[in-house]
Amino acid sequence: DLEEEKINIMKSGIVPKILSKQKKGGYWENPQDFYVRSKYKGTVWQIIILAQLGADKNDVRIKKACDFILDYSYIKNSGGFSYKGDKYSGGSKDGILPCLTGNMVFSLIRFGYLNDPRVKKSINFIANYQRFDDGIRNAPTGWPYDRYESCWGRHSCHMGVVKALKALAEIPEERRSRPVKEAIGEAAGYLLKHSIYKRSRDLDKVSKPIWLKFGFPLMWNTDVLEILEILLNLGYRDKRMDEAINLVISKMGIDGKWKLENTYNKRFIANIEKKGKPSRWITFKALNVLRMYKNLND
């Protein structure tokens, strides 16, 4: 049944709708505008969505999309990913973003690129450069930290930490280097210090209310459900996760389903489920999180 469903994913529904809009060169919209102006319709966003939907990594169109983003967004000298670039010089180093890098590494690993030297370099970039600072006195200096305060400043971007951890968690455990394992530990510690979604210095306050609204697919943003899923997949079970788990339980409807609360529908190439209605994706993820939590607790 599972193998049949994997085949059906490529034949009907959202995945073929997205792939039908792909241009000959493996991109969507405009090749130079793969991130910003074509937000949620450009190439970066389609790769993220397709990876989360479980698209077939062996499909030639998926490979073209991955090769395109490695040509245009990948920063050759460092391994990070930039929101601007071109085919001839690759990604521009002054456009590097932690959430974009994490999302691209996660997606490329999902699509079978773990052994690609460029992806290996990107993994090393995350392990070596990603910050997990919680409001330090002096911001780090030098590249890439001197570019965007909200991403690389005194307080690390929460979303950047989540996407970096999501990428590293996709690496099979037996293939994680010591720096990768250390980065995973730092990222997990940072998230647990915040009790998943709160302010570390005042745990009575929510960092961003939008994180309490569950969405799919998630792009640069995050939510409680995604963070719990990553941590539990890594084997973390900590009392600082309990309030987040209780939040998940509280959102289950009397029908045993969870609703889609946060979405970029109408900005995507194809809408994915309906806001405010029971969601198969959110329900699946919520049940999976609760199952893993119970198993680890037992």
Side-chain angles (χ1 to χ4, degrees), residues 128-185:
N128 293 327
Y129 285 95
Q130 178 61 46
R131 304 287 300 189
F132 310 101
D133 297 322
D134 186 32
I136 56 177
R137 183 180 296 274
N138 298 312
T141 58
W143 184 89
Y145 309 122
D146 53 6
R147 183 60 177 163
Y148 299 111
E149 167 67 23
S150 60
C151 295
W152 305 102
R154 290 177 297 171
H155 195 294
S156 296
C157 171
H158 205 81
M159 282 79 75
V161 171
V162 173
K163 302 307 177 182
L165 183 59
K166 186 176 182 178
L168 298 182
E170 200 68 15
I171 304 169
E173 185 174 2
E174 67 276 8
R175 298 190 60 179
R176 295 172 192 162
S177 65
R178 178 176 293 180
V180 165
K181 291 177 181 177
E182 290 174 351
I184 287 174

Side-chain angles (χ1 to χ4, degrees), residues 189-285:
Y190 170 94
L191 294 170
L192 291 170
K193 186 177 182 179
H194 289 79
S195 292
I196 310 301
Y197 62 94
K198 297 184 177 183
R199 298 183 182 182
S200 61
R201 290 170 178 77
D202 187 351
L203 293 174
D204 290 327
K205 292 185 178 180
V206 174
S207 292
K208 289 186 182 295
I210 192 64
W211 295 342
L212 306 183
K213 296 183 177 181
F214 298 165
F216 182 88
L218 293 170
M219 314 303 272
W220 54 269
N221 54 325
T222 189
D223 63 25
V224 169
L225 195 58
E226 179 182 49
I227 298 170
L228 284 173
E229 186 177 36
I230 296 168
L231 289 173
L232 288 164
N233 270 324
L234 285 166
Y236 283 91
R237 168 67 177 89
D238 190 288
K239 64 181 181 180
R240 290 169 290 181
M241 299 162 66
D242 290 353
E243 286 187 72
I245 289 290
N246 288 335
L247 176 70
V248 174
I249 295 171
S250 73
K251 287 179 175 287
M252 183 177 68
I254 58 174
D255 57 358
K257 301 174 183 177
W258 280 257
K259 293 180 180 179
L260 178 68
E261 300 174 292
N262 182 28
T263 179
Y264 290 103
N265 278 345
K266 297 184 179 179
R267 299 179 69 182
F268 289 146
I269 285 177
N271 289 340
I272 301 174
E273 300 189 315
K274 294 182 179 180
K275 186 176 183 179
K277 299 294 183 181
S279 162
R280 289 176 294 175
W281 281 105
I282 303 299
T283 298
F284 168 74
K285 289 180 172 293

Side-chain angles (χ1 to χ4, degrees), residues 113-136:
Y113 280 71
L114 179 59
N115 292 325
D116 189 294
R118 295 166 294 182
V119 174
K120 288 182 178 180
K121 194 170 185 176
S122 297
I123 292 169
N124 290 333
F125 172 86
I126 293 174
N128 293 327
Y129 285 95
Q130 178 61 46
R131 304 287 300 189
F132 310 101
D133 297 322
D134 186 32
I136 56 177

Side-chain angles (χ1 to χ4, degrees), residues 10 54-60 62-63 66 109-113:
M10 304 302 294
D56 183 3
K57 65 182 180 182
N58 296 313
D59 189 282
V60 65
I62 298 295
K63 187 178 185 304
C66 293
I109 294 175
R110 277 269 170 113
F111 288 139
Y113 280 71

